[in-house]
Amino acid sequence: QCVAVCPVGALTEKTQMDEVKEALNDPEKYVVVQVAPAVRAALGEAFEFPIGVDVEGRMAEALRRLGFDKVFDTKFGADLTIMEESNELIERLNNDGELPLITSCCPGWIKYAEHFYPDMLENISSCKSPHQMQGAIVKTYLANQEHIAKENIVMVSVMPCTAKKFEITREDECGAGVPDVDIVITTNELAQMLKDAEIQLEAMNPNSKFDLPLGFGTGAAVIFGVTGGVMEAALRTAVEKLTGKDTVLEYTDVRGMNGIKEASVDVNGTTVKVAVVSGLANANQLLTAIKNGTADYQFVEVMACPGGCVNGGGQPHQNAATRVLNDVPKMRGAALYQNDAGSAIRKSHENPVVKEVYESFLGEPGSEKAHELLHTSYQMR
Ligand code: SF4
């Protein structure tokens, strides 16, 4: 079965909804679902909620009713990403490493870089994307804890993104010996599955929670879904670690829908310059300037979709008239910033579950075990 997954209908991709249903009906399988930050800001639109309504709690309950054994939030994986990526940034800053460090959580950007910027692959963080990190921890740490054979776990990711379907097919030498993630479905496909099962999102409890422990994430993690969010989350952790001081929480210079944004951060008297780009044309412009030597940054965030994942190709599509009247990505992004502001913990390194996973399983950020499970490599194409 094929379904249109591109917002303009120009692309069709194979859907794996039937495979999810088969797994849910297979008593041998332990089926775990995780949901990316941006999904909660848009899923409601498929159920006639206004644009920009955060349906996090309702979505958690709806997924439980579909029959998943565990319902996790990719926010946990995003917090792990920040632990590893900020560690990588600090290592490169302190040891004259390859700079700028460029983020790696967008597979659209990674594939583009492998084709068009093969000479800059060393600059790209080796961190896997958050849902892959989460899958790797589910199939190792959680499998050990719950005494489940990792081969019996089916990891399903609900993503705003069609490129994530490609990402899980990449050959990866690192990992647990099984795929980190088995199936990716988009926000639109989840909406379809809920409708097929006659689960009404509006009837779900808005205060439902994700399962613990791996469903717990911070405010820093939820803003991964909007342009500038990964940078802001990383700065909250990296600057605090570098200076040893409590940092500002909100880096407003990297917020907003501009295609190219920049900011400077003082770190112990040294200025660290960062840039955020969304949309590949903007990425092209910025990377060309870096290569020409006309721009100089230490850390760069790249997202292929203008506005970031809130505007991904797997999100509900608003018609042209609605898009003229509303800045849809901005409204969805505002829902994520509100979610962050209302979070009890807003820095990734303060996530108690992340701390416990490092203490009892991974060791330190950047450890051999962390590299084995949470990092990857890229290839010239
Ligand atoms: Fe996918 Fe777009 Fe987000 Fe990149 S920016 S991860 S292509 S939704």
Side-chain angles (χ1 to χ4, degrees):
Q1 188 192 2
C2 284
V3 65
V5 287
C6 169
V8 293
L11 289 174
T12 56
E13 288 194 27
K14 191 171 174 292
T15 176
Q16 290 184 291
M17 287 189 291
D18 287 344
E19 283 171 51
V20 178
K21 289 175 189 166
E22 267 169 40
L24 289 171
N25 287 325
D26 184 342
E28 298 288 305
K29 299 294 183 194
Y30 190 85
V31 193
V32 181
V33 69
Q34 59 169 315
V35 196
V39 176
R40 75 209 63 208
L43 179 68
E45 293 166 36
F47 293 86
E48 310 302 329
F49 281 79
I51 299 163
V53 173
D54 179 352
V55 295
E56 180 178 296
R58 293 179 198 274
M59 183 176 72
E61 187 186 344
L63 287 163
R64 214 165 269 125
R65 291 209 185 185
L66 275 179
F68 290 100
D69 293 295
K70 289 280 185 212
V71 178
F72 288 150
D73 194 336
T74 311
K75 282 197 290 188
F76 171 81
D79 281 329
L80 260 189
T81 303
I82 289 302
M83 297 301 287
E84 292 297 317
E85 200 161 78
S86 61
N87 180 67
E88 207 176 345
L89 176 66
I90 293 167
E91 291 280 313
R92 292 189 189 205
L93 285 170
N94 289 343
N95 300 304
D96 287 330
E98 198 74 45
L99 291 170
L101 177 68
I102 307 179
T103 58
S104 57
C105 40
C106 171
W109 148 242
I110 292 297
K111 181 115 188 322
Y112 183 81
E114 288 180 328
H115 282 284
F116 300 109
Y117 289 94
D119 51 338
M120 292 189 81
L121 295 180
E122 284 291 305
N123 292 81
I124 299 176
S125 164
S126 61
C127 289
K128 290 180 180 173
S129 74
H131 80 123
Q132 293 177 298
M133 287 201 182
Q134 184 126 358
I137 295 298
V138 163
K139 292 196 181 182
T140 53
Y141 173 83
L142 189 81
N144 291 344
Q145 282 213 329
E146 308 243 334
H147 308 291
I148 307 161
K150 59 189 175 187
E151 292 77 13
N152 287 341
I153 298 177
V154 179
M155 183 77 242
V156 179
S157 297
V158 183
M159 297 281 123
C161 178
T162 49
K164 296 273 175 194
K165 289 175 185 265
F166 161 75
E167 185 184 44
I168 62 167
T169 67
R170 293 176 67 99
E171 281 180 21
D172 200 334
E173 287 168 12
C174 311
V178 287
D180 297 327
V181 173
D182 300 285
I183 299 174
V184 169
I185 59 169
T186 62
T187 310
N188 285 326
E189 288 168 333
L190 173 61
Q192 188 59 53
M193 284 188 69
L194 295 177
K195 287 176 183 175
D196 289 350
E198 298 184 348
I199 295 170
Q200 296 298 325
L201 200 62
E202 54 276 26
M204 301 293 108
N205 179 356
N207 299 315
S208 277
K209 303 282 181 219
F210 287 96
D211 291 324
L212 294 174
L214 304 184
F216 186 81
T218 68
V222 81
I223 56 175
F224 261 59
V226 59
T227 169
V230 178
M231 177 60 70
E232 184 168 343
L235 290 176
R236 288 180 192 177
T237 290
V239 176
E240 189 166 319
K241 289 197 171 187
L242 281 162
T243 61
K245 294 183 200 140
D246 212 7
T247 58
V248 285
L249 264 172
E250 299 187 351
Y251 289 86
T252 48
D253 286 352
V254 296
R255 294 189 178 190
M257 290 293 132
N258 288 341
I260 302 182
K261 297 169 277 186
E262 57 178 24
S264 296
V265 184
D266 177 68
V267 178
N268 299 331
T270 303
T271 301
V272 173
K273 287 170 72 183
V274 304
V276 170
V277 285
S278 69
L280 289 175
N282 292 320
N284 223 357
Q285 190 181 322
L286 189 92
L287 294 172
T288 304
I290 291 171
K291 283 178 73 164
N292 290 345
T294 53
D296 173 34
Y297 301 103
Q298 282 74 54
F299 192 24
V300 174
E301 176 199 299
V302 182
M303 293 289 161
C305 297
C309 300
V310 283
N311 196 28
Q315 298 275 63
H317 177 53
Q318 294 290 346
N319 64 35
T322 306
R323 282 185 280 127
V324 166
L325 292 171
N326 299 280
D327 188 338
V328 177
K330 187 176 175 188
M331 292 163 83
R332 291 173 180 168
L336 299 185
Y337 285 121
Q338 209 178 341
N339 186 311
D340 166 36
S343 298
I345 302 177
R346 298 180 66 191
K347 296 173 186 170
S348 298
H349 57 282
E350 292 178 357
N351 181 331
V353 185
V354 165
K355 285 189 201 174
E356 150 57 27
V357 170
Y358 275 106
E359 273 167 29
S360 68
F361 184 63
L362 290 171
E364 298 293 309
S367 70
E368 200 178 315
K369 184 118 187 142
H371 267 276
E372 185 187 317
L373 293 175
L374 309 179
H375 290 252
T376 187
S377 57
Y378 311 109
Q379 63 193 56
M380 193 189 292
R381 289 180 195 267

PDB file of all heavy atoms in Angstrom, residues 22 25 127 165 199 273 304-305 320:
ATOM      1  N   GLU A  22       0.472  -5.405  12.157  1.00  0.00           N
ATOM      2  CA  GLU A  22       0.869  -6.818  12.294  1.00  0.00           C
ATOM      3  C   GLU A  22       1.649  -7.047  13.586  1.00  0.00           C
ATOM      4  O   GLU A  22       1.407  -8.010  14.314  1.00  0.00           O
ATOM      5  CB  GLU A  22       1.770  -7.224  11.124  1.00  0.00           C
ATOM      6  CG  GLU A  22       1.033  -7.837   9.951  1.00  0.00           C
ATOM      7  CD  GLU A  22       1.956  -7.953   8.743  1.00  0.00           C
ATOM      8  OE1 GLU A  22       3.140  -8.307   8.914  1.00  0.00           O
ATOM      9  OE2 GLU A  22       1.474  -7.644   7.629  1.00  0.00           O
ATOM     10  N   ASN A  25      -0.441  -7.078  16.611  1.00  0.00           N
ATOM     11  CA  ASN A  25      -1.261  -8.290  16.730  1.00  0.00           C
ATOM     12  C   ASN A  25      -0.450  -9.556  16.979  1.00  0.00           C
ATOM     13  O   ASN A  25      -1.010 -10.640  17.079  1.00  0.00           O
ATOM     14  CB  ASN A  25      -2.093  -8.485  15.447  1.00  0.00           C
ATOM     15  CG  ASN A  25      -3.217  -7.465  15.376  1.00  0.00           C
ATOM     16  OD1 ASN A  25      -3.777  -7.093  16.404  1.00  0.00           O
ATOM     17  ND2 ASN A  25      -3.533  -7.010  14.178  1.00  0.00           N
ATOM     18  N   CYS A 127      26.922  12.183  16.199  1.00  0.00           N
ATOM     19  CA  CYS A 127      25.738  11.719  16.947  1.00  0.00           C
ATOM     20  C   CYS A 127      24.659  11.197  16.009  1.00  0.00           C
ATOM     21  O   CYS A 127      24.299  11.851  15.032  1.00  0.00           O
ATOM     22  CB  CYS A 127      25.145  12.872  17.746  1.00  0.00           C
ATOM     23  SG  CYS A 127      26.140  13.373  19.138  1.00  0.00           S
ATOM     24  N   LYS A 165      12.340   7.843   7.140  1.00  0.00           N
ATOM     25  CA  LYS A 165      12.105   6.497   6.586  1.00  0.00           C
ATOM     26  C   LYS A 165      13.377   6.004   5.887  1.00  0.00           C
ATOM     27  O   LYS A 165      13.719   4.833   5.937  1.00  0.00           O
ATOM     28  CB  LYS A 165      10.937   6.524   5.591  1.00  0.00           C
ATOM     29  CG  LYS A 165       9.573   6.716   6.251  1.00  0.00           C
ATOM     30  CD  LYS A 165       8.482   6.846   5.205  1.00  0.00           C
ATOM     31  CE  LYS A 165       7.136   7.150   5.800  1.00  0.00           C
ATOM     32  NZ  LYS A 165       6.296   5.974   6.044  1.00  0.00           N
ATOM     33  N   ILE A 199     -10.287   5.940  17.140  1.00  0.00           N
ATOM     34  CA  ILE A 199      -9.829   6.609  18.361  1.00  0.00           C
ATOM     35  C   ILE A 199      -9.893   8.117  18.108  1.00  0.00           C
ATOM     36  O   ILE A 199      -9.216   8.621  17.212  1.00  0.00           O
ATOM     37  CB  ILE A 199      -8.390   6.172  18.725  1.00  0.00           C
ATOM     38  CG1 ILE A 199      -8.377   4.675  19.074  1.00  0.00           C
ATOM     39  CG2 ILE A 199      -7.841   7.002  19.882  1.00  0.00           C
ATOM     40  CD1 ILE A 199      -6.994   4.073  19.215  1.00  0.00           C
ATOM     41  N   LYS A 273      30.803  31.782  18.382  1.00  0.00           N
ATOM     42  CA  LYS A 273      29.807  32.234  17.407  1.00  0.00           C
ATOM     43  C   LYS A 273      29.036  31.028  16.855  1.00  0.00           C
ATOM     44  O   LYS A 273      29.633  30.025  16.466  1.00  0.00           O
ATOM     45  CB  LYS A 273      30.500  32.986  16.260  1.00  0.00           C
ATOM     46  CG  LYS A 273      30.976  34.378  16.704  1.00  0.00           C
ATOM     47  CD  LYS A 273      31.855  35.035  15.667  1.00  0.00           C
ATOM     48  CE  LYS A 273      31.054  35.480  14.467  1.00  0.00           C
ATOM     49  NZ  LYS A 273      31.945  36.074  13.422  1.00  0.00           N
ATOM     50  N   ALA A 304      16.719  20.747   7.202  1.00  0.00           N
ATOM     51  CA  ALA A 304      16.376  20.845   5.773  1.00  0.00           C
ATOM     52  C   ALA A 304      15.046  21.561   5.534  1.00  0.00           C
ATOM     53  O   ALA A 304      14.873  22.241   4.523  1.00  0.00           O
ATOM     54  CB  ALA A 304      16.324  19.444   5.169  1.00  0.00           C
ATOM     55  N   CYS A 305      14.096  21.402   6.436  1.00  0.00           N
ATOM     56  CA  CYS A 305      12.772  21.997   6.205  1.00  0.00           C
ATOM     57  C   CYS A 305      12.740  23.431   6.727  1.00  0.00           C
ATOM     58  O   CYS A 305      13.164  23.672   7.863  1.00  0.00           O
ATOM     59  CB  CYS A 305      11.694  21.189   6.919  1.00  0.00           C
ATOM     60  SG  CYS A 305      11.564  19.505   6.311  1.00  0.00           S
ATOM     61  N   ALA A 320      -3.562  26.251   0.812  1.00  0.00           N
ATOM     62  CA  ALA A 320      -2.842  27.489   0.499  1.00  0.00           C
ATOM     63  C   ALA A 320      -3.475  28.695   1.191  1.00  0.00           C
ATOM     64  O   ALA A 320      -2.765  29.551   1.726  1.00  0.00           O
ATOM     65  CB  ALA A 320      -2.818  27.689  -1.011  1.00  0.00           C
TER      66      ALA A 320
END
